[in-house]
Amino acid sequence: MRKNIVAGNWKMNKTLQEGVALATELKEVLKGQKPNCEVIIGTPFIHLASVAEVIKGSVIKLSAENCADKESGAYTGEVSAAMVKSTGAEYCILGHSERRGYYGETPEILKEKVDLALANGLKVIFCIGESLEEREANKQNAVVKAELEGSVFHLAPAEFANIIIAYEPIWAIGTGKTATSDQAEEIHAYIRSLIADKYGKQVAEDTSILYGGSCKASNAPELFAKPDIDGGLIGGASLKAPDFKGIIDAF
């Protein structure tokens, strides 16, 4: 059975102290609750070990926002998948459009990252999605298909079971624009059909596909009600505990 998931992506926000305070607050507001979804927070690298301590024993799981495409060695400033795992994190966000766009991460680089994350026992939240130009040219299906084929469709079915897909239309990230729930459902259903074509219907049914892109408490219930939308990858709204809790409560 696929899981409903609400995952936060803090991006480059919050000092270590602020991050620990936010994780503490989130743990408090979720105390004694059994959310109808898995709750994950994705924090900057330097927060991981400290936040892992804070959320111990709670319903919250921890994710890194990236990992290196090399195992170890003379790569100054990089953080390997093994290092991420050693902090207590269980997940790693890969393929985010900001990494692709600002840091030139190609499908080949992302394939390496995916392989290393999985080899080190991390689950991967893999981001795909089209730009505004691509959407206006009606190329969104071709874009997401190429991104899946380029970085995750080489995996064996057992490995693919550790992949969560996050569909994020680039034109809706941090812009306040949101794909309509119908637009989002249409492409989520298409993504699930691609997975079914590659791995069979059962694997497709078991794969969680999240929506990212200006998802907030006000529009989450409508999005999450769609049959192929299994939750959200949340940016800005994950930086305040009440806002994030509002999205979790949409389930």
Side-chain angles (χ1 to χ4, degrees), residues 170-189:
I170 299 165
W171 47 273
I173 299 175
T175 58
K177 285 184 183 176
T178 315
T180 66
S181 57
D182 288 340
Q183 278 176 322
E185 167 60 21
E186 185 184 348
I187 196 151
H188 276 239

Side-chain angles (χ1 to χ4, degrees), residues 118-200:
L118 294 177
N120 283 281
L122 294 164
K123 295 187 178 80
V124 173
I125 299 171
F126 190 75
C127 304
I128 57 176
E130 79 284 356
S131 66
L132 186 58
E133 297 74 31
E134 288 162 342
R135 167 62 73 160
E136 285 173 346
N138 205 27
K139 287 184 179 159
Q140 64 272 16
N141 286 11
V143 170
V144 298
K145 185 177 190 204
E147 288 179 333
L148 289 169
E149 287 176 345
S151 306
V152 293
F153 273 4
H154 65 288
L155 298 170
E159 296 171 314
F160 190 81
N162 293 303
I163 303 283
I164 294 152
I165 302 295
Y167 166 70
E168 298 201 299
I170 299 165
W171 47 273
I173 299 175
T175 58
K177 285 184 183 176
T178 315
T180 66
S181 57
D182 288 340
Q183 278 176 322
E185 167 60 21
E186 185 184 348
I187 196 151
H188 276 239
Y190 174 68
I191 292 163
R192 203 175 301 283
S193 77
L194 291 174
I195 298 167
D197 290 346
K198 174 73 187 170
Y199 293 106

Side-chain angles (χ1 to χ4, degrees), residues 25-34 58-60 245:
E25 188 186 350
L26 198 57
K27 182 181 170 178
E28 281 305 305
V29 301
L30 291 171
K31 206 174 181 173
Q33 303 212 343
K34 284 202 169 71
S58 76
V59 295
I60 306 166
K245 172 78 162 52

Side-chain angles (χ1 to χ4, degrees), residues 13-251:
N13 291 295
K14 306 282 180 195
T15 62
L16 176 57
Q17 292 76 14
E18 290 165 348
V20 165
L22 175 55
T24 305
E25 188 186 350
L26 198 57
K27 182 181 170 178
E28 281 305 305
V29 301
L30 291 171
K31 206 174 181 173
Q33 303 212 343
K34 284 202 169 71
N36 291 323
C37 60
E38 185 146 290
V39 178
I40 303 168
I41 50 177
T43 79
F45 288 133
I46 65 156
H47 299 43
L48 290 171
S50 302
V51 169
E53 282 302 309
V54 169
I55 63 176
K56 227 176 220 164
S58 76
V59 295
I60 306 166
K61 310 272 194 204
L62 186 60
S63 177
E65 298 178 18
N66 186 24
C67 73
D69 61 339
K70 302 286 190 293
E71 206 165 326
S72 64
Y75 303 102
T76 301
E78 287 295 298
V79 176
S80 73
M83 292 174 188
V84 167
K85 180 70 174 174
S86 74
T87 65
E90 294 178 49
Y91 292 87
C92 188
I93 299 168
L94 294 173
H96 196 282
S97 61
E98 289 156 4
R99 299 293 320 169
R100 294 175 190 265
Y102 303 149
Y103 303 102
E105 293 193 1
T106 62
E108 295 74 34
I109 290 170
L110 290 169
K111 183 169 178 251
E112 294 297 325
K113 292 189 177 199
V114 166
D115 288 347
L116 286 164
L118 294 177
N120 283 281
L122 294 164
K123 295 187 178 80
V124 173
I125 299 171
F126 190 75
C127 304
I128 57 176
E130 79 284 356
S131 66
L132 186 58
E133 297 74 31
E134 288 162 342
R135 167 62 73 160
E136 285 173 346
N138 205 27
K139 287 184 179 159
Q140 64 272 16
N141 286 11
V143 170
V144 298
K145 185 177 190 204
E147 288 179 333
L148 289 169
E149 287 176 345
S151 306
V152 293
F153 273 4
H154 65 288
L155 298 170
E159 296 171 314
F160 190 81
N162 293 303
I163 303 283
I164 294 152
I165 302 295
Y167 166 70
E168 298 201 299
I170 299 165
W171 47 273
I173 299 175
T175 58
K177 285 184 183 176
T178 315
T180 66
S181 57
D182 288 340
Q183 278 176 322
E185 167 60 21
E186 185 184 348
I187 196 151
H188 276 239
Y190 174 68
I191 292 163
R192 203 175 301 283
S193 77
L194 291 174
I195 298 167
D197 290 346
K198 174 73 187 170
Y199 293 106
K201 197 168 185 330
Q202 194 52 57
V203 172
E205 280 304 311
D206 291 344
T207 302
S208 297
I209 308 176
L210 315 183
Y211 173 77
S214 301
C215 181
K216 40 196 181 286
S218 57
N219 59 21
E222 189 187 344
L223 286 162
F224 295 173
K226 295 291 184 184
D228 288 294
I229 300 179
D230 305 312
L233 180 58
I234 316 300
S238 71
L239 295 171
K240 291 193 178 126
D243 295 354
F244 195 51
K245 172 78 162 52
I247 296 170
I248 293 164
D249 290 346
F251 276 120

